[in-house]
Amino acid sequence: MKSTYNHILRFISEEKKLLAVLIDPDKMKPEVLSGFMQKLNQSIATHVFVGGSTVANNATEILVAELKKYTQLPVVLFPGDVSQITNHADALLFLSLISGDNPDYLIGKHIKAVSKLRDLDLEVIPTGYLLIENGRQTSVEKVTQTQPLSRENVQYIVDTAKAGELLGMKLIYLEAGSGALQPVPTEIISFVKQELSVPLIVGGGIRTKQQLNAAYDSGADLVVIGTAFEDDEAFFEELLK
Ligand code: 1GP
C-alpha cells in the first residue's frame, strides 16, 4: 500500500516527531543486523532509511529484503544512485539536489530511473534535497560534484527550499552530510520551516539527544541519523532516557 507519505502527514498533524535511522548497505555487516534491528525496534525510531553515496550493485536490494523480515517500520530508500532502487522497500525519496547545479542530480538520474520505476510498485515521494555547508567536505559533495549552500546565506537557503516546494516537491530535506562536523544550524531549520507547508527533514552530524531535540524544537518534522547509531548502538537506549 502506498501510504508512507500520508503516514508522515498524519504523524505531523498529531504533533509527533519522526526519527529515521539511516542504514548504509556498504557499512552494515550482515552478522550484526539482527541485534541492530532489535534495538531499533525498541527505540523511538519511526522509519528506516536505506542508502549511501556509493553502494555496490544489489547490496541495497539484499539488505532491504532482509530488513523487512526484522521490522514493521516503513523502509524508505534514500538512494545515491539509480542502482539502489528496489521494490522491496515501502517508498523512495526521489531526491533532486536543488542546492547544486549538477544536472545529473537535478533531473538526469531521475530520467534514468524511470525505466526501472515503471515496472515497480514503489511509492515515489518527490523530495527537494539541499546540501548545507558543515565545516568539512562530505561524500555527497564529492560524489555529486556540487558545492553546499553557505550557512551564512540563510535567505538563499530559505528561498531554495521554498522553490522546491513551489515546484511540487512533497518533502524538503536539509542535509549537512553524513558525519558532518556540525549539524544544520537551528536558525536555518527554523527559518526554512516558517516558509514551508510540506514536511521538513533534517539530517547530517546529529550525534546527541540535545542536538536531536534542538532540531525538533526548531521545526524539523523528521530527523535522519546514521553515523551515531553505526558508531555506538547504545545511542538507541540513550534516546529513550
Ligand atoms: C546523511 O543525513 C544523513 O545523509 C545522516 O547523517 O550519518 O551524520 O547521521 P549522519
Side-chain angles (χ1 to χ4, degrees):
M1 201 171 52
K2 298 187 176 184
S3 57
T4 301
Y5 185 69
N6 285 335
H7 188 232
I8 290 175
L9 293 181
R10 200 169 57 242
F11 259 113
I12 293 170
S13 72
E14 292 166 3
E15 294 186 8
K16 292 182 181 144
K17 294 295 186 182
L18 305 167
L19 174 67
V21 176
L22 175 65
I23 303 181
D24 184 334
D26 258 359
K27 294 185 188 156
M28 175 56 73
K29 296 188 183 70
E31 62 273 21
V32 303
L33 184 64
S34 150
F36 186 88
M37 291 308 293
Q38 210 173 346
K39 292 203 173 99
L40 190 154
N41 284 330
Q42 290 161 0
S43 75
I44 60 167
T46 56
H47 292 77
V48 181
F49 280 10
V50 180
S53 296
T54 50
V55 174
N57 257 347
N58 292 331
T60 305
E61 177 137 50
I62 295 166
L63 176 68
V64 173
E66 248 339 87
L67 282 177
K68 293 298 286 179
K69 296 182 195 160
Y70 290 111
T71 188
Q72 303 287 322
L73 295 177
V75 177
V76 179
L77 299 174
F78 172 58
D81 195 70
V82 183
S83 64
Q84 294 176 37
I85 296 175
T86 162
N87 212 16
H88 292 293
D90 296 290
L92 161 72
L93 296 187
F94 207 40
L95 302 164
S96 181
L97 184 61
I98 56 176
S99 59
D101 56 2
N102 184 340
D104 249 3
Y105 288 87
L106 281 164
I107 183 68
K109 286 186 181 281
H110 313 72
I111 297 169
K112 290 196 181 100
V114 169
S115 60
K116 203 163 180 181
L117 290 173
R118 198 176 276 126
D119 298 328
L120 303 183
D121 184 31
L122 193 58
E123 179 179 354
V124 177
I125 309 174
T127 304
Y129 191 48
L130 285 75
L131 185 59
I132 314 292
E133 179 191 30
N134 81 93
R136 73 162 170 225
Q137 204 191 32
T138 58
S139 41
V140 183
E141 206 178 316
K142 277 185 239 160
V143 170
T144 64
Q145 299 278 299
T146 65
Q147 291 299 312
L149 299 179
S150 160
R151 297 154 67 98
E152 307 307 317
N153 203 342
V154 180
Q155 192 58 49
Y156 191 79
I157 295 172
V158 171
D159 291 353
T160 307
K162 188 67 184 172
E165 178 180 306
L166 293 174
L167 279 165
M169 286 156 184
K170 289 178 161 181
L171 296 170
I172 294 295
Y173 190 142
L174 296 179
E175 171 72 276
S178 187
L181 280 184
Q182 314 208 24
V184 176
T186 51
E187 185 203 12
I188 292 177
I189 299 173
S190 110
F191 279 117
V192 169
K193 179 64 184 174
Q194 283 167 36
E195 285 271 342
L196 291 184
S197 336
V198 297
L200 178 61
I201 303 179
V202 174
I206 295 176
R207 289 185 194 81
T208 66
K209 193 174 174 179
Q210 288 72 16
Q211 288 172 326
L212 174 65
N213 287 333
Y216 286 147
D217 292 345
S218 41
D221 296 300
L222 190 156
V223 170
V224 185
I225 301 181
T227 307
F229 294 115
E230 265 167 32
D231 288 352
D232 186 3
E233 291 179 16
F235 192 47
F236 282 118
E237 285 117 55
E238 181 63 33
L239 292 182
L240 285 170
K241 286 179 195 162

